[in-house]
Amino acid sequence: MAGHTGGLSARMSKGRAAGAALPEGSPNDDARTAFWLVAPALALYAVFTLLPIAATFWLSFNSSAGFNTSASFVGVGNYAKAAQDPIVWKSLVHTFAWLAYHVVMAGGLGLLLALAVSRLRITQVFFRTAFFLPHLVSLAVVGVIWANIYDPFFGLLNTALTQIGLGAFTQGWLSDPALVLFSVNVASSWQGFGLYMLLFIAGLQNIDHSLYDAAEVDGANAFQKLIYVTLPGLREVMTFVISLAMINGLKGFATVFVMTNGGPFYQSELITTYIYRLAFQSQDHGLAAVLCILLSLLAIVITIVFNRWRARLSQ
Amino acid sequence: MSVRNREWPVVLALTPVLILILAPFVWLVISSFKTEAEIGRADPFTWPADLMWRNYLDAWQIGGFGELVGNSLINLVGVVLLSLITCAPAGYALAKIRFPGREWLFYAFILGLTVPVQAIVIPLYQVLFGLNLVNTLAGIVLVQVSNGIPFGIFLMRSFFIGVPDDLIEAAKIDGASHFQILTKVFLPISTPAVQALVIISALSTWNDFFLPLIVLISPEVQTLPLGLVRFASTYASDYRLVFSGTVISFLPIILLYILMQRRFTEGLTQGAIKG
């Protein structure tokens, strides 16, 4: 121990002596400058992100009945409780379904519209701008808008269906337990697809145009060019959009909270909305913390899987 | 294949899609000018007999939208400025200075990029409570900046990595410090990255709902999305108020986007690809 400390101080004084002899920009000076450049960001990040991450871990092994009560250690008790809570399982299943809906609807629409819009020359800016408009609206405001669209009596959807003679398709879009998660996701995807479309358009612009010329020389038709040139050229953007859509989907909260608050009968409860309910309404912090860990793990796994996939593609 | 030949069929195919996607906006704007009776008659796209500007006046006054917009603006300016001040230097240090612990810092910031803010909300609230920041705009600014720091640092860092080291060497020979190199050499040539950071942090701050929901409890400090949700649930049965209030909430940002669409588009795609 003493030897170790001695070695460290010797190294430090040696560094100081060398620093005095060297011109500006020695490793020692650099380290000090780097520290001051990173310090403001690191301080904020440590207090409001790193510390809470660590504390969430700690909390998941403790039980606490509210913000003003002291916690007691319960080991894996909260994890056992979570495994037995049917709403935890429901919210997990709903979250996976929610991600799948979002990737297919928002990602799919983004891709289709990008393919179409990128063919335009004169009107491209107009269509791109117009299709992007929903993305500018806050998801909470989207929730208010779509709650009114789905309103069974005054809502746009049911009245429009009735007017065009499809009255048979009118529904209680948010009151039907089998439909509610999908209905809310339509609203989220309506808001989300615009960004994915922009990313796909950027990806399409990066495809080497000579590949199309070569395909044309070989006698490829439009469909073959799509399959053999365009889609392979988009592979990297596609993995990126899918991972972004999944992470965005995982953070989904506002539309559900505003439109259904997880109901009816927990049929639109997501992990995020259940965390909020447990933490701020029923004040079961231990159980909420377990769900927080679960949510983080999902996010980390998704990120790692897609980064690996992306790295393999770009080799 | 001439440009002419392939433009108009695509336009024709896209027009119905465009109408479907924009229908919610058109419907809301039209409905927001109707009387309660006209809304009840259930013909969604019929033009109102008289434009009820009163609806907007009522919603603005009853909903306290002036205050909400003001709070949202303070929140936005605070987050954008503080994000730039913290992320640009940190991004520079991580990109261009070799120092012990750099790798570790890098991984610590990756962690924040991945973990959703909902997953740390309980201790986050406790930290804010301990610092007396619950229910203050300062509190919401600090947590949103912290939430955006991982992305902001990566954006700036990956842009700065692309700047040749020769520029630093040359500036050092002229006796410049790292801080001077950052402010006088790097930032002036980093317009695309700065633009991306400003647009992305501004948009996400303006539209954030989850953090304000946790932090901002009293109506006087709330931001626009939070205030609208409170307003819409209080006056749920008064459709004309809800509609005009909703239009007030999205119209300014949409007009701003239409005016600056190229910058927005560049900033968002640059940000997404670099981040």
Side-chain angles (χ1 to χ4, degrees), chain A residues 74-133:
Chain A
V74 292
V76 293
N78 291 320
Y79 289 85
K81 199 167 140 197
Q84 284 158 12
D85 182 346
I87 304 169
V88 167
W89 291 103
K90 269 192 173 182
S91 68
L92 184 64
V93 171
H94 292 159
T95 299
F96 281 122
W98 176 267
L99 294 185
Y101 287 148
H102 189 65
V103 169
V104 172
M105 286 198 286
L109 188 61
L111 175 61
L112 287 179
L113 290 180
L115 288 173
V117 167
S118 63
R119 300 179 75 89
L120 298 170
R121 294 290 167 268
I122 310 162
T123 53
Q124 186 180 124
V125 172
F126 168 76
F127 276 99
R128 213 174 49 194
T129 308
F131 282 139
F132 189 72
L133 290 181

Side-chain angles (χ1 to χ4, degrees), chain A residues 149-291:
Chain A
I149 288 177
Y150 288 136
D151 184 302
F153 307 108
F154 298 96
L156 175 61
L157 191 52
N158 276 355
T159 42
L161 283 172
T162 311
Q163 282 193 341
I164 57 172
L166 294 173
F169 289 96
T170 57
Q171 311 265 348
W173 300 99
L174 298 176
S175 54
D176 183 342
L179 204 61
V180 58
L181 195 65
F182 177 79
S183 300
V184 179
N185 199 281
V186 168
S188 273
S189 297
W190 175 75
Q191 195 264 3
F193 83 90
L195 182 63
Y196 310 140
M197 178 192 71
L198 286 188
L199 296 174
F200 279 125
I201 291 176
L204 285 166
Q205 282 164 353
N206 286 337
I207 296 176
D208 187 354
H209 208 272
S210 64
L211 291 174
Y212 288 104
D213 298 336
E216 220 157 292
V217 172
D218 289 343
N221 60 30
F223 180 73
Q224 286 167 324
K225 276 190 277 186
L226 176 71
I227 297 294
Y228 295 110
V229 182
T230 310
L231 292 182
L234 281 179
R235 266 194 317 200
E236 244 187 278
V237 188
M238 223 175 284
T239 58
F240 178 63
V241 166
I242 293 172
S243 59
L244 185 67
M246 289 186 86
I247 292 294
N248 283 347
L250 213 52
K251 292 177 186 165
F253 172 84
T255 42
V256 171
F257 181 81
V258 171
M259 292 168 77
T260 66
N261 199 13
F265 317 115
Y266 300 105
Q267 280 305 316
S268 57
E269 195 82 274
L270 300 175
I271 297 176
T272 51
T273 56
Y274 197 36
I275 289 174
Y276 179 81
R277 190 189 300 284
L278 288 169
F280 293 93
Q281 286 162 359
S282 45
Q283 310 259 325
D284 188 342
H285 290 178
L287 189 55
V290 172
L291 280 168

